[in-house]
């Protein structure tokens, strides 16, 4: 199974069902009249699969690198899509034709040579090229038609071009300095090689397609064979490339080249130093001297390149500052022109004074008219002062009654509270008096009981009378004890 087919089966939802695969690989062109919905569903699934596969860099290519923005049709593409179970896709030609008719794919040659935008309604691709491609696909022109053979062609995938251009412009939106808007072709290719796919870089064909789209269709850049310049934020269309732009691009390229040369020289110096030390350790003096000479040459080269790089970076910094100053001066000049125009519109100081005086005069007239209107209104309205006094007295009386009623309610509330407090106090005093009377009535009994207990004798009585009196005394004592205990 090819890399292309593996990618489609793994990433495209429409290609994961066996029943759907059978339909997609069949000659579904006959469904255009019998089942239009099924026909266009299959066409859309194939167009999406091919566009995603191109973006992933798995479409077969003739060169070393795969194109990400174009698709090359033909026998190689058909063979790469072949399945052991379903064979080759029989209606792939109809898919390409539908995409071309809807401007989702454009023949590469027409895309690069057209002077008008692809979004222009009057834009037309080369009719004979598309017609001849379709006729070959149907077998009318050239070899006899074969459902399993796909006519050759090279088509730009518009969706992939748009995605790449948007990513580039988003990156450039962070650049503000004028010198940052200028690139050489080599620097542009290095800087935006992986803007669409982190693992696959744009091919030279992709680069040409992208530059043409940015310049002709988006009006974001000017470019020639060596230099690319993006439009500034204050420009409606990109300005033409000048000699200064070409010089800035060359200087940036040279600085980038020198920066790339320094790390290898540093590694070479370290390697030669290690070789010299190893040669000395092994008593190989000739090898050690040769390594040291090479090391000295590499160090001298590194020093020269470093000094040159420092000088070039200083020059570039000065150019960047000068470019920013030029832009600032232009903005200041434009601002002065705007202020001059506005000042001219207001007519200078004299004009403003005249406007202010006229405004004051008109405002005075408005005040006069308002005064006259107010006088007329006052003359026509007669107010009876007696009625006003009566209404005022009624209001005062109502307010006074309201206040008296509130004071009476407050007074009654306080009296009720005081009466309640007095009642609770009297109840408490009455309870205290009852308690005191109860304690007073029990006191003589306790004293009698105490005396009886003290006069009791434990000796036997001499006569019955004394015995009886003793029993009586004991009974009184028990009774007194019960009362005391109660």
């Amino acid at each position: 199974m090819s890399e292309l087919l593996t990618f489609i089966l793994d990433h495209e939802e429409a290609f994961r069902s066996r029943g759907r695969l059978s339909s997609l690989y069949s000659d579904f062109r006959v469904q255009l009249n019998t089942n239009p919905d099924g026909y266009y569903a299959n066409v859309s699934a194939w167009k999406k699969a091919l566009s995603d596969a191109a973006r992933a860099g798995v479409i077969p290519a003739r060169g070393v690198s795969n194109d990400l923005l174009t698709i090359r049709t033909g026998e190689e593409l058909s063979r790469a899509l072949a399945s052991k179970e379903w064979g080759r896709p029989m209606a792939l030609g109809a898919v390409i034709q539908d995409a071309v008719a809807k401007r989702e794919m454009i023949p590469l040659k027409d895309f690069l040579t057209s002077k008008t935008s692809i979004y222009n309604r009057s834009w037309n691709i080369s009719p004979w090229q598309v017609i001849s491609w379709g006729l070959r696909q149907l077998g009318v022109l050239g070899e006899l038609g074969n459902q399993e053979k796909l006519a050759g062609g090279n088509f730009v995938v518009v969706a992939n071009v748009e995605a790449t251009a948007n990513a580039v412009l988003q990156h450039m939106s962070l650049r503000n300095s004028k010198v940052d808007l200028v690139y050489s072709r080599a620097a542009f290719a290095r800087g935006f090689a992986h803007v669409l796919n982190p693992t696959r870089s744009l091919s030279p064909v992709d680069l040409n397609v992208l530059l043409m789209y940015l310049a002709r269709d988006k009006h974001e850049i000017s470019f020639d064979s060596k230099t690319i310049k993006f439009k500034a934020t204050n420009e409606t269309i990109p300005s033409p490339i000048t000699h200064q732009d070409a010089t800035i691009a060359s200087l940036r390229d040279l600085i980038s080249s020198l920066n790339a040369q320094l790390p290898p020289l540093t590694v070479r110096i370290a390697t030669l130093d290690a070789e010299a030390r190893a040669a000395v350790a092994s008593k190989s003096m000739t090898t050690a001297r040769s390594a040291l000479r090479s090391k000295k040459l590499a160090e001298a080269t590194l020093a020269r390149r470093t000094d040159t790089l420092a000088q070039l970076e200083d020059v570039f910094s000065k150019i960047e500052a000068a470019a920013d100053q030029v832009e600032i001066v232009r903005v200041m000049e434009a601002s002065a022109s705007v202020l001059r125009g506005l000042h001219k519109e207001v007519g200078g100081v004299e004009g403003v004074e005249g406007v202010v005086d006229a405004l004051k005069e008109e405002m005075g007239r408005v005040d006069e008219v308002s005064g006259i209107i107010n006088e007329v209104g006052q003359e026509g309205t007669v107010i009876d002062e007696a009625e006003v006094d009566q209404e005022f007295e009624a209001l005062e009386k109502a307010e006074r009654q309201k206040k008296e009623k509130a004071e009476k309610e407050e007074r009654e509330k306080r009296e009720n509270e005081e009466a309640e407090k007095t009642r609770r106090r009297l109840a408490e005093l009455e309870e205290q008096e009852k308690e005191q009377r109860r304690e007073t009535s029990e006191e003589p009994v306790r004293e009698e009981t105490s005396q009886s207990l003290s006069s009791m004798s434990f000796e036997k009585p001499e006569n019955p009378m004394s015995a009886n009196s003793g029993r009586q005394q004991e009974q009184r004592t028990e009774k007194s004890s019960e009362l005391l205990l109660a």
Side-chain angles (χ1 to χ4, degrees), residues 167-354:
V168 171
L169 295 177
Q170 183 178 3
H171 176 79
M172 292 304 301
S173 64
L174 304 176
R175 304 295 182 91
N176 297 320
S177 177
K178 182 179 178 181
V179 296
D180 291 336
L181 303 178
V182 181
Y183 287 84
S184 66
R185 273 188 171 253
F188 184 88
R190 289 193 303 269
F192 299 104
H194 299 283
V195 69
L196 183 63
N197 188 331
T199 60
R200 300 290 182 99
S201 60
L202 297 174
S203 67
V205 175
D206 295 333
L207 181 62
N208 292 332
V209 170
L210 177 60
L211 292 177
M212 179 59 69
Y213 178 79
L214 289 171
R216 180 193 62 205
D217 303 307
K218 300 294 287 185
H219 303 291
E220 292 289 344
I221 66 169
S222 297
F223 74 98
D224 56 21
S225 59
K226 294 182 179 179
T227 310
I228 301 165
K229 183 171 72 171
F230 283 85
K231 178 182 69 176
T233 54
N234 60 345
E235 295 177 339
T236 56
I237 59 173
S239 58
I241 293 175
T242 62
H243 177 69
Q244 295 176 350
D245 298 327
T247 302
I248 291 173
S250 299
L251 183 59
R252 292 185 67 178
D253 257 0
L254 185 56
I255 292 174
S256 178
S257 176
L258 289 175
N259 277 319
Q261 294 175 20
L262 296 183
L265 285 173
T266 303
V267 173
R268 177 170 173 75
I269 291 171
T271 302
L272 291 172
D273 182 74
E275 290 180 358
R277 294 178 184 276
V280 170
S282 62
K283 306 299 183 181
S284 179
M285 299 305 173
T286 303
T287 304
R289 288 179 178 275
S290 176
L292 288 174
R293 290 192 190 94
S294 299
K295 176 186 173 183
K296 292 296 182 183
L297 290 174
E299 289 176 342
T301 303
L302 178 62
R304 288 195 301 271
R305 301 282 168 81
T306 304
D307 292 340
T308 303
L309 178 61
Q311 293 176 357
L312 292 177
E313 287 179 342
D314 185 59
V315 171
F316 186 79
S317 176
K318 294 294 193 299
I319 291 175
E320 186 176 16
D324 292 340
Q325 291 171 358
V326 169
E327 193 64 25
I328 292 172
V329 171
R330 286 180 180 175
V331 172
M332 293 175 66
E333 184 179 3
S335 301
S337 177
V338 171
L339 289 174
R340 191 181 302 111
L342 295 174
H343 187 69
K344 186 177 181 180
E345 288 183 9
V346 300
V349 178
E350 295 81 4
V352 174
E353 289 179 349

Side-chain angles (χ1 to χ4, degrees), residues 48 110 113 155 175 181 234 306 321 374 388 415 476 482:
K48 182 179 182 302
D110 291 297
T113 57
F155 299 89
R175 304 295 182 91
L181 303 178
N234 60 345
T306 304
N374 291 333
V388 173
E415 290 175 355
R476 285 195 300 269
E482 289 177 359

Side-chain angles (χ1 to χ4, degrees), residues 107 110 125-136 141:
D110 291 297
I125 60 176
S126 174
W128 173 247
Q129 183 176 356
V130 179
I131 293 173
S132 61
W133 187 90
L135 293 176
R136 287 199 307 273
L141 184 66

Side-chain angles (χ1 to χ4, degrees), residues 60-79:
R62 294 181 181 179
V64 178
S65 59
N66 296 71
D67 298 332
L68 307 184
L69 306 182
T70 63
I71 292 177
R72 186 182 299 276
T73 63
E75 181 64 19
E76 190 174 3
L77 177 61
S78 180
R79 188 167 52 249

